[in-house]
Amino acid sequence: MSNHGGYSRLSAVAEARFEALCAVRGRLRGTHRQALDGTAHALRAGSMDPAIPARHLLYLDLSAREPLAAIAVGDLDSATHVTWQLSGTGIRARNALWGSVREAGQLYLEQRKVGIEAPAVVAWLGYRSPNMASALLNRSARRGVEILERDLEIFAALRHGEPHLALEAHSYAATLAAQALDSRSGSTALVHALATIGSAGIPKQLSRDPGRLNIPEDHIFEAIADRDRLAWWGRLLSGRKLIAGRTFSVAGRTDLGLLGVSGHNTSQMTPGNPGAPRGYRDPGTTSLRNLALITTGQKPLG
């Protein structure tokens, strides 16, 4: 169905609804206005690196107090490689939409660098991510699983399993991804690769049996950066464990001109502070290069 523009039609409907919401912006609650403004900024031409292509709204859901959203970078109808990028604690549509979409765009550009002509990356903020305290529980992930499974089912229906599909999950989103992929819970998602960064762990029963994730074990990767204290404390206090997948490097590679990652954040470098430590998804890092390789079915750098 990829040649019939299923996602183009879905996005057109979503953007028409978005325009209607903009017309009544003043009547919306504060959190909804924040998500609306973030969506407008993320979709606006010129709001980020001009090399990042046009963004496409998949949905902006204001039906509950906490807004939910998903925005695609690249053409989901024709992409050969698609990545769902999932974010963790405190990252929500009302406070981090533009930054999340920019990170999706950075992964898109890196996937082009490693030889993929037609990638697409979805910045998915489709669940109410937890705050620091509730991140020790699995409740937010359980609530988000149904929505993520729904979105992956829509993708499967529109693309019929044609593209290579990967999930990239940061922090708490690792437990969301794992539960969404759990075959014993009825998951039928056809996902080819999973990469976790700064993982706060997944439920023990899944970490002991990664075969339940229904992904070849040699396509499951995880990385923890130096001084990533939040990931360590998250696992220790929650009792969750790492997947026991293959580790990949996020250390610097001076021979390739790639920088290392330090700490827990996905993004730390800003134009005004080029000397700042790098985050997992920052351009010019070994981490982003390896994420691009893993999510497109290639081997990461050693």
Side-chain angles (χ1 to χ4, degrees):
M1 194 166 180
S2 60
N3 293 327
H4 299 289
Y7 269 107
S8 294
R9 293 195 297 272
L10 187 153
S11 181
V13 171
E15 290 178 9
R17 290 174 179 166
F18 167 72
E19 294 296 336
L21 288 169
C22 289
V24 296
R25 178 186 180 281
R27 286 184 262 156
L28 300 177
R29 68 167 73 234
T31 55
H32 292 178
R33 287 198 302 272
Q34 289 171 338
L36 195 71
D37 294 346
T39 301
H41 190 36
L43 296 176
R44 186 179 300 120
S47 69
M48 54 187 71
D49 186 337
I52 297 173
R55 281 73 71 190
H56 308 284
L57 180 64
L58 303 184
Y59 59 81
L60 175 62
D61 183 354
L62 303 184
S63 62
R65 185 178 187 88
E66 189 64 49
L68 308 177
I71 294 179
V73 178
D75 186 349
L76 283 176
D77 286 319
S78 60
T80 59
H81 297 73
V82 175
T83 306
W84 244 251
Q85 198 169 55
L86 316 178
S87 293
T89 305
I91 303 301
R92 299 178 181 177
R94 62 179 166 85
N95 66 4
L97 190 52
W98 179 83
S100 296
V101 175
R102 181 187 63 171
E103 290 177 355
Q106 289 167 173
L107 180 57
Y108 171 98
L109 294 179
E110 199 71 18
Q111 290 173 338
R112 292 290 304 272
K113 285 183 181 179
V114 298
I116 306 303
E117 292 186 8
V121 182
V122 176
W124 190 86
L125 284 77
Y127 78 122
R128 182 176 180 174
S129 66
N131 57 29
M132 285 292 185
S134 58
L136 300 180
L137 306 173
N138 293 329
R139 188 179 304 123
S140 292
R142 286 196 296 268
R143 287 198 298 255
V145 161
E146 184 177 343
I147 303 170
L148 179 56
E149 287 179 340
R150 177 205 67 190
D151 289 356
L152 293 176
E153 287 171 2
I154 291 171
F155 177 78
L158 292 177
R159 293 301 314 270
H160 295 292
E162 293 169 355
H164 181 279
L165 177 61
L167 299 184
E168 185 256 84
H170 173 248
S171 187
Y172 182 86
T175 194
L176 169 66
Q179 291 181 72
L181 295 171
D182 184 4
S183 58
R184 291 192 190 175
S185 296
S187 173
T188 58
L190 180 61
V191 176
H192 302 96
L194 170 65
T196 70
I197 44 178
S199 172
I202 68 172
K204 289 180 181 177
Q205 66 272 22
L206 292 173
S207 68
R208 287 194 294 262
D209 186 8
R212 287 174 56 172
L213 302 183
N214 204 28
I215 298 175
E217 290 190 30
D218 59 350
H219 290 178
I220 298 173
F221 289 89
E222 55 196 1
I224 306 292
D226 288 341
R227 293 189 287 279
D228 188 341
R229 303 284 188 249
L230 283 177
W232 186 84
W233 279 109
R235 295 192 303 276
L236 177 67
L237 296 176
S238 69
R240 294 188 295 259
K241 302 294 183 182
L242 290 172
I243 299 175
R246 298 188 173 196
T247 60
F248 68 94
S249 176
V250 295
R253 286 288 301 266
T254 55
D255 56 323
L256 298 175
L258 297 173
L259 299 172
V261 170
S262 177
H264 186 67
N265 291 349
T266 55
S267 181
Q268 300 191 69
M269 188 272 294
T270 62
N273 189 14
R278 271 19 180 212
Y280 287 105
R281 295 173 180 163
D282 272 333
T285 61
T286 304
S287 175
L288 186 64
R289 175 65 53 82
N290 276 336
L291 287 173
L293 291 166
I294 292 165
T295 54
T296 56
Q298 303 176 68
K299 292 183 179 180
L301 301 173

